[in-house]
Amino acid sequence: MSQSHQQPALSKCPGCEEPPAAGDLFCGVCGYDLSAVPARPDDRPTMAITVPPAAPAAGAVRWPAAEETDSSDVPAPVVRPADVPGTDSGGRPLTESDTVSGRGAASPPEPVGAGGPEAAAVQVRHDDRADPGGAEASGDFALAAPDPRAAEHAAAPAAAPAPGAKVCVACRSGRVDPDGYCENCGHAQPRERDHMEQELDAVAAVSDRGLRHHRNEDSFAVSSTALPDGSPAVVAIVCDGVSSASRPDEASAAAASAANEALLESLPRGTHPQTAMHEAIVAASEAVNALAQEPAGAREHDTHRHQNAPACTLVGAIMAGGLLIVGWVGDSRVYWVPEDRTRPTARLTEDDSWAAQMVAAGLMNEAEAYADERAHAITGWLGADAYELEPHTAAFKPDRPGLVVVCTDGLWNYAESAEEMAAAVPADAREQPLRAARTLVGHALDGGGHDNVTVALLPFAVVPQGAGSACDTV
C-alpha cells in the first residue's frame, strides 16, 4: 500500500548509506530503522599515528628504530634514553640507573644506528591490514572502513552461536535475535514471508517482499475443494496489508486464512459461490477486527501498535460450476486474460480508492486520476477502524478458456490496464501457472519493485460456446 508514517527526511541510510525510498520505515538494503535515526556509531579506533621527528641537530644522539609489532599487535619494545650513550639536561652522562629499560632481561640494547637511517623510519600502524604483502614491503598498514559483512567477523565473532541457532546470512557468525537482526553486525535477516510460492493442480501463487520494503505485508491462500455434485471448486485469496496501519502483515495473514477457511466450509455444503464469497469477506473482516484487541503479550518494542487498528485489503476468486466469482474490498484486482490473445481482456474489479472515485464522479479521467499522488489512498478496507464494510462480489461466465489473474497493486502498478497485464502474462501461463506467476513477480521487480508483490493465477478451462464477449455478468 502507498500509505506510510511520517519520518525524518534522509538523503541516505545511516546504516549502509543507500538512498531510502520515500515513506520507507526501514532500509530496504540493510534493514536499518529509519524512524529512529540514531547517530551512527564511530569507526573502531585505530592505533596512534607517530609523527616523524625532526631531523637531528648536529651532534645530537640518533635514536635506533623500535622493532615492529608481531601479528598480534604486541607493543614494540621501548627504547629508553639510558640504552644509548648521551647526557642529561645537566650535562651528566646517562647511566642505567637513571631509567628503567622496557626490554626483557634477555634483550640487550641495540647498537646505535643499527639497520642504518632507513631502519629508523617511523611506521604508521592501523588496525586493519589490507595487503599483507604490500604492508611488509612498505612498512604501512592500509586503513579499511569497518564492514559488518567482512570476513574478520567470521574469524573473531563476538559470541559463537549455539548449536541449531540461526546464523547471520551476512557475516555468517553472529546470532540472530528474536526480531530477526544479527547481534554481531545488525544485518536484517530474510523472513519466511519475504518470498512465498504455492502450486496446486489448478492454481498457483507467488508473493515477494519487493525491493524497497523491509518486510512482506502481503499474504495469500489458495485451495481446492469439491461441490456437493462432486465437481471441483478452486479458490484464490490475496490480501495486502495497509502499511500506515499497525501490524499490516498480521492483518493480511489473518484475512487470507479466515476467508479461505470460510470458503472451504461453505462451498461443499452447497452454498452458492457468490454468497460464499460474501460470507468469506465478512469472516475475514472479523478476523482482522479481532487483532485490534491487543493481546496481553504484545511486544513492547512495537512503536506503532497503538496508532491505529490493523487493516488490509482483500481480493478473491472462485472457479466453480462453470462460473467465475470475484469478491473484493480495497484496491487489489482481478483480470481476465483469454487464451486467444486476439480476444478482449478485462479488469473484473473496481478499486476502492480516491482515484476510482474521481473517475466515477467524472472529475478526472483515469490517466489524470492515477497520476495524482492521492491515487492510491484507499476508501475501503478490512479493519476495526473501517467506516463500513461493503464487500463487492460479481459472477461471470466466461465462454472461452483463459487465465484469471488475482493480484495486489504491487503488480498492477507496473501493468495497470487489462491490455498491459495481458502483455505481461506469458503465453504458456495456463499450462505452467507457477512459472508464469514468477514471471509476473519478476516483471514488477524489474520495474522497480517499490511495493510487495503478490499474484495468483487460475487457469479457466471451458468448451467454447460460440462468439461473445470475454465475460458476461450474471
Side-chain angles (χ1 to χ4, degrees), residues 259 262-263 266-267 271-281 318:
L263 290 172
S266 60
L267 290 174
T271 305
H272 190 279
Q274 191 166 0
T275 302
M277 177 62 79
H278 185 279
E279 295 174 350
I281 296 176
I318 305 172

Side-chain angles (χ1 to χ4, degrees), residues 148-150 153-154 167-174 182 184-185 187:
R149 293 164 291 186
H153 291 287
V167 178
C168 175
V169 299
C171 69
R172 298 181 178 84
S173 62
C182 177
N184 185 30
C185 69
H187 192 92

Side-chain angles (χ1 to χ4, degrees), residues 53-404:
V61 176
R62 176 168 296 166
W63 302 102
E67 297 176 2
E68 291 188 7
T69 61
D70 61 18
S71 59
S72 61
D73 282 342
V74 174
V78 178
V79 178
R80 303 291 184 179
D83 293 344
V84 293
T87 60
D88 65 9
S89 60
R92 293 171 299 181
L94 294 173
T95 63
E96 188 173 354
S97 61
D98 290 329
T99 185
V100 178
S101 174
R103 300 177 187 272
S107 300
E110 295 180 359
V112 178
E118 293 78 4
V122 178
Q123 294 185 354
V124 179
R125 301 187 184 276
H126 302 278
D127 60 348
D128 289 308
R129 187 190 294 264
D131 183 5
E136 291 174 4
S138 65
D140 291 343
F141 288 75
L143 178 63
D147 185 347
R149 293 164 291 186
E152 61 179 324
H153 291 287
K166 287 186 177 181
V167 178
C168 175
V169 299
C171 69
R172 298 181 178 84
S173 62
R175 293 177 298 185
V176 178
D177 65 20
D179 296 330
Y181 291 86
C182 177
E183 295 178 350
N184 185 30
C185 69
H187 192 92
Q189 306 301 297
R191 296 174 173 85
E192 182 180 358
R193 287 178 59 175
D194 283 356
H195 186 89
M196 301 180 291
E197 297 183 357
Q198 187 174 356
E199 182 179 27
L200 301 177
D201 291 339
V203 60
V206 175
S207 181
D208 192 89
R209 186 184 71 180
L211 304 178
R212 306 299 297 180
H213 285 268
H214 76 287
R215 65 181 175 187
N216 189 359
E217 296 171 356
D218 289 357
S219 190
F220 69 83
V222 294
S223 59
S224 61
T225 185
L227 302 179
D229 62 1
S231 61
V234 181
V235 172
I237 302 293
V238 170
C239 297
D240 185 353
V242 178
S243 59
S244 60
S246 62
R247 296 181 286 161
D249 53 332
E250 296 180 28
S252 62
S257 177
N260 185 62
E261 290 177 3
L263 290 172
L264 292 180
E265 180 182 356
S266 60
L267 290 174
R269 294 201 316 259
T271 305
H272 190 279
Q274 191 166 0
T275 302
M277 177 62 79
H278 185 279
E279 295 174 350
I281 296 176
V282 172
S285 176
E286 293 173 350
V288 177
N289 292 350
L291 295 177
Q293 302 172 2
E294 186 176 351
R299 295 168 292 178
E300 291 300 324
H301 68 271
D302 187 353
T303 58
H304 307 301
R305 68 185 187 280
H306 294 303
Q307 291 189 5
N308 48 35
C312 69
T313 67
L314 181 148
V315 66
I318 305 172
M319 295 190 311
L323 294 177
L324 171 59
I325 310 298
V326 299
W328 73 97
V329 173
D331 61 349
S332 294
R333 295 179 175 180
V334 177
Y335 291 85
W336 166 258
V337 180
E339 183 178 29
D340 182 356
R341 299 299 175 88
T342 63
R343 298 287 187 172
T345 60
R347 194 180 91 196
L348 306 183
T349 58
E350 293 293 336
D351 299 343
D352 288 324
S353 68
W354 179 90
Q357 285 190 344
M358 293 299 102
V359 174
L363 300 177
M364 291 182 175
N365 61 39
E366 190 163 327
E368 294 172 337
Y370 282 100
D372 193 282
E373 61 181 7
R374 298 164 289 181
H376 292 278
I378 58 175
T379 58
W381 63 89
L382 305 181
D385 59 351
Y387 299 110
E388 184 178 356
L389 177 62
E390 295 183 1
H392 310 289
T393 63
F396 302 88
K397 191 172 184 178
D399 60 357
R400 55 183 56 89
L403 186 75
V404 181

Side-chain angles (χ1 to χ4, degrees), residues 1-101:
M1 304 306 299
S2 58
Q3 303 180 27
S4 61
H5 298 291
Q6 294 293 328
Q7 63 182 33
L10 295 173
S11 60
K12 59 184 179 180
C13 170
C16 65
E17 300 188 354
E18 288 293 321
D24 277 2
L25 296 178
F26 293 82
C27 177
V29 177
C30 71
Y32 197 97
D33 186 352
L34 300 177
S35 62
V37 196
R40 187 177 180 182
D42 293 333
D43 286 348
R44 289 173 292 138
T46 61
M47 298 181 65
I49 298 177
T50 305
V51 179
V61 176
R62 176 168 296 166
W63 302 102
E67 297 176 2
E68 291 188 7
T69 61
D70 61 18
S71 59
S72 61
D73 282 342
V74 174
V78 178
V79 178
R80 303 291 184 179
D83 293 344
V84 293
T87 60
D88 65 9
S89 60
R92 293 171 299 181
L94 294 173
T95 63
E96 188 173 354
S97 61
D98 290 329
T99 185
V100 178
S101 174

